[in-house]
């Protein structure tokens, strides 16, 4: 696998689907990438929405932390799960534009 995109999320239920769609658009339909979203103890439906997306796309991996540990710990959990040669960290609120990845 070439790329692992690691995204820590916390209470991002409204951003999860647009983030997923934009990353899919940026990286294309191939299987040379994965998206790892780390739910950092969200109190909303972030995890459920991620799970629903992952049920239809094996490239999406969801890691759930049992409570909020903070962005650094969530990012590290994503790095630990990453299998790509190149790991790309991003924010879950679309502050980073997925179109910049290529």
């Amino acid at each position: 696998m070439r790329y692992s995109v690691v995204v820590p999320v916390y209470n991002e239920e409204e951003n999860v689907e647009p983030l997923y769609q934009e990353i899919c658009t940026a990286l294309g339909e191939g299987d040379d990438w994965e998206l790892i979203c780390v739910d950092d103890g969200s109190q909303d439906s972030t995890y459920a929405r991620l799970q629903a997306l992952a049920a239809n796309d094996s490239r999406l991996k969801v890691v759930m932390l049992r409570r909020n540990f903070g962005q650094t710990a969530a990012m590290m959990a994503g790095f630990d799960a990453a299998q790509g040669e190149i790991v790309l960290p991003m924010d879950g609120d679309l502050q980073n534009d997925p179109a910049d990845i290529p």
Side-chain angles (χ1 to χ4, degrees):
M1 179 168 316
R2 182 86 171 133
Y3 301 107
S4 293
V5 180
V6 175
V7 183
V9 291
Y10 178 71
N11 293 340
E12 296 285 352
E13 65 186 2
E14 297 301 320
N15 291 329
V16 166
E17 292 168 24
L19 172 74
Y20 168 78
Q21 292 299 330
E22 288 190 34
I23 289 173
C24 287
T25 298
L27 292 175
E29 294 298 321
D31 60 355
D32 64 338
W33 62 272
E34 66 181 349
L35 170 58
I36 301 169
C37 291
V38 181
D39 186 328
D40 190 20
S42 294
Q43 301 298 308
D44 61 4
S45 65
T46 298
Y47 182 72
R49 290 182 183 204
L50 286 170
Q51 285 294 93
L53 291 168
N56 296 313
D57 189 344
S58 63
R59 298 172 300 184
L60 174 56
K61 315 286 189 282
V62 182
V63 176
M64 181 181 175
L65 303 181
R66 67 182 181 274
R67 66 172 180 83
N68 181 258
F69 286 94
Q71 184 179 27
T72 301
M75 193 69 77
M76 193 66 216
F79 291 163
D80 288 344
Q83 296 179 9
E85 296 172 38
I86 299 170
V87 179
L88 306 160
M90 294 188 67
D91 286 332
D93 59 5
L94 289 169
Q95 235 179 338
N96 307 114
D97 186 356
D100 291 339
I101 293 173

